[in-house]
Amino acid sequence: MRVYNFSAGPTMLPLEVLQEAGTNIEDYNGSGMSVMEMSHRSKWYEPIHNECIALVRELMEVPDNYEVLLVQGGASQQFAAVPLNLLTTGKADYIVTGNFAKKAYEEATKYGDIKLVATSEPEKYTYIPKTTRADFREDASYVHITENNTIFGSKYHTLPDTGNIPLVADLSSCIMSEYTDVSKYGLIYAGAQKNLAPAGLTMVIVRKDLIGHEMDICPTMLKYSTQAGKNNSLYNTPPCWCIYVMMLNLRYLKKIGGVKEMEKINKEKAAMLYDFIDNSSFWTNPVAVEDRSMMNVPFRSPNEELDALFIKGAEAEGLVTLKGHRLAGGMRASIYNAMPVEGVKKLISYMAQFEKEHK
Ligand SMILES: *Cc1c(COP(=O)(O)O)cnc(C)c1O
């Protein structure tokens, strides 16, 4: 039986995508082998690779002066790769709005003069700090943000004004969940395992003029210039299987109407769940209303015993992985692109039933 998996990642993929991958698992396109078994330079794999990148460009309307790179190491590897590639002035400014943002900041401090411009840590990351252009150093190489905070359930709904300083953003948990104006960023990165593909793949979208200025100590495999241009993210062996599944997932996204249609569905799902929580005197969400995430919805009952009971009861209903991150406690429903509207409806219905029984 398939369950509704509310995991923060890795998490659900559309059933149609899994079935298509399953159909081809032994013999892809008459090759007599699986995509898992074939050379990344074979005549069967190369079209998969190129279609995946082309679909990213099409679905996100990536401007021509940006490269789309497929790399490994997770979003966490980019915490180091970003400063190693972009820290041309030796300075960068960071805003810390959650645990991953803090990790990115701490990693960057190894490589230069890194300013912590603002943090919501003292308020348990329940809001996005407001900044103005004047908060950033004139000679900062870039400003880094985490656009959607997976653990604490907050999101930037308006990007910080950084003037001419390139904005670098971790979009791991909101990539392709809504329209993104790529031209507003110097660089976007995202681990694939939330909205794109199985774990093991990371996407980087980077403005071409920012490529090729890496520090001397930057490892070859972390240089954007190693994968960019004619290397086409095929400098070494890419995670072919992940890229294949990502390509199928993007074909599916295109078929259902693309990112703008996905955004409508995601807005509907999130609004249903937040409305239900806000109208209840039993369930609560700690995040400032204007900063709430559309993808990750933390919530609590009146006490920890009831939280534990709820998680257990939900599991029996096929609503799984609702336990909150250990840093946040309570519950968290991650309602990424592949979570159907019906899954959210079923969660709400079980929450209502539980509330009645335990109020
Ligand atoms: C999941 C996540 C990460 C970590 O990704 P890995 O691919 O496991 O390194 C980093 N940032 C954000 C915002 C995430 O949601």
Side-chain angles (χ1 to χ4, degrees):
M1 187 193 78
R2 294 275 299 165
V3 293
Y4 291 117
N5 181 5
F6 292 90
S7 170
T11 187
M12 295 179 79
L13 285 162
L15 185 58
E16 202 175 301
V17 169
L18 297 177
Q19 284 169 339
E20 172 74 12
T23 301
N24 296 312
I25 200 137
E26 290 178 49
D27 179 2
Y28 178 76
N29 214 5
S31 64
M33 57 182 117
S34 174
V35 177
M36 285 187 240
E37 302 171 300
M38 64 180 50
S39 163
H40 56 294
R41 311 212 185 271
S42 64
K43 67 173 180 185
W44 298 286
Y45 177 71
E46 282 197 43
I48 294 172
H49 189 89
N50 292 334
E51 184 175 344
C52 184
I53 293 171
L55 281 166
V56 173
R57 300 200 80 99
E58 181 184 344
L59 289 163
M60 291 188 71
E61 298 170 15
V62 178
D64 289 342
N65 60 326
Y66 286 74
E67 285 267 357
V68 174
L69 309 178
L70 302 176
V71 299
Q72 300 186 58
S76 304
Q77 180 78 284
Q78 294 305 310
F79 298 167
V82 164
L84 283 164
N85 280 275
L86 302 188
L87 214 45
T88 49
T89 63
K91 295 183 184 178
D93 291 356
Y94 278 63
I95 305 174
V96 169
T97 51
N99 197 48
F100 289 118
K102 191 177 177 186
K103 284 183 170 169
Y105 163 70
E106 283 170 351
E107 188 72 18
T109 60
K110 295 180 182 175
Y111 302 109
D113 168 5
I114 309 299
K115 182 180 170 192
L116 178 59
V117 170
T119 176
S120 52
E121 189 177 12
E123 303 298 324
K124 299 199 171 117
Y125 298 124
T126 48
Y127 71 101
I128 301 287
K130 304 258 180 307
T131 52
T132 66
R133 173 68 188 82
D135 293 321
F136 306 112
R137 292 178 292 183
E138 211 54 58
D139 56 350
S141 300
Y142 62 89
V143 173
H144 181 282
I145 63 166
T146 306
E147 191 154 319
N148 183 76
N149 297 286
T150 323
I151 296 174
F152 297 94
S154 67
K155 178 173 188 291
Y156 272 93
H157 293 292
T158 311
L159 295 175
D161 175 11
T162 63
N164 290 327
I165 310 169
L167 179 66
V168 173
D170 178 354
L171 265 68
S172 294
S173 51
C174 59
I175 190 92
M176 295 201 205
S177 65
E178 61 177 9
Y179 171 74
T180 299
D181 182 352
V182 175
S183 71
K184 293 212 161 98
Y185 303 80
L187 185 147
I188 288 169
Y189 63 92
Q193 67 273 22
K194 280 112 189 192
N195 262 343
L196 300 176
L201 175 63
T202 307
M203 179 165 79
V204 177
I205 303 177
V206 53
R207 222 172 62 202
K208 284 180 180 166
D209 62 288
L210 299 175
I211 301 173
H213 313 292
E214 59 275 342
M215 296 180 190
D216 291 342
I217 60 159
C218 184
T220 305
M221 281 306 295
L222 296 192
K223 288 182 188 174
Y224 299 130
S225 58
T226 298
Q227 300 290 7
K230 66 177 181 6
N231 281 340
N232 193 27
S233 301
L234 283 163
Y235 171 80
N236 69 327
T237 319
C240 302
W241 174 256
C242 297
I243 293 169
Y244 170 58
V245 178
M246 174 160 158
M247 184 277 280
L248 294 179
N249 195 26
L250 296 184
R251 268 190 193 165
Y252 176 80
L253 179 58
K254 183 176 169 181
K255 195 181 87 176
I256 65 162
V259 172
K260 282 186 179 152
E261 185 56 33
M262 198 69 246
E263 175 171 348
K264 267 193 227 154
I265 299 168
N266 285 332
K267 278 195 171 134
E268 184 197 341
K269 288 188 292 185
M272 270 196 304
L273 187 49
Y274 283 120
D275 283 351
F276 172 77
I277 292 169
D278 290 344
N279 287 316
S280 148
S281 54
F282 185 85
W283 303 106
T284 51
N285 167 285
V287 181
V289 172
E290 69 275 17
D291 297 329
R292 283 170 168 180
S293 166
M294 192 159 67
M295 295 282 101
N296 311 94
V297 183
F299 60 97
R300 285 175 179 281
S301 74
N303 65 58
E304 283 177 21
E305 289 70 44
L306 285 175
D307 286 351
L309 203 63
F310 174 80
I311 291 162
K312 221 174 136 206
E315 228 167 76
E317 300 285 320
L319 305 163
V320 309
T321 340
L322 280 161
K323 195 172 176 358
H325 190 277
R326 66 195 146 72
L327 291 173
M331 278 74 68
R332 169 180 48 174
S334 294
I335 49 175
Y336 295 117
N337 286 4
M339 173 59 66
V341 176
E342 299 76 51
V344 178
K345 283 188 177 157
K346 192 170 173 192
L347 172 65
I348 292 170
S349 143
Y350 181 66
M351 287 169 77
Q353 181 195 326
F354 189 88
E355 175 174 349
K356 248 193 221 135
E357 285 166 11
H358 297 278
K359 213 169 177 168

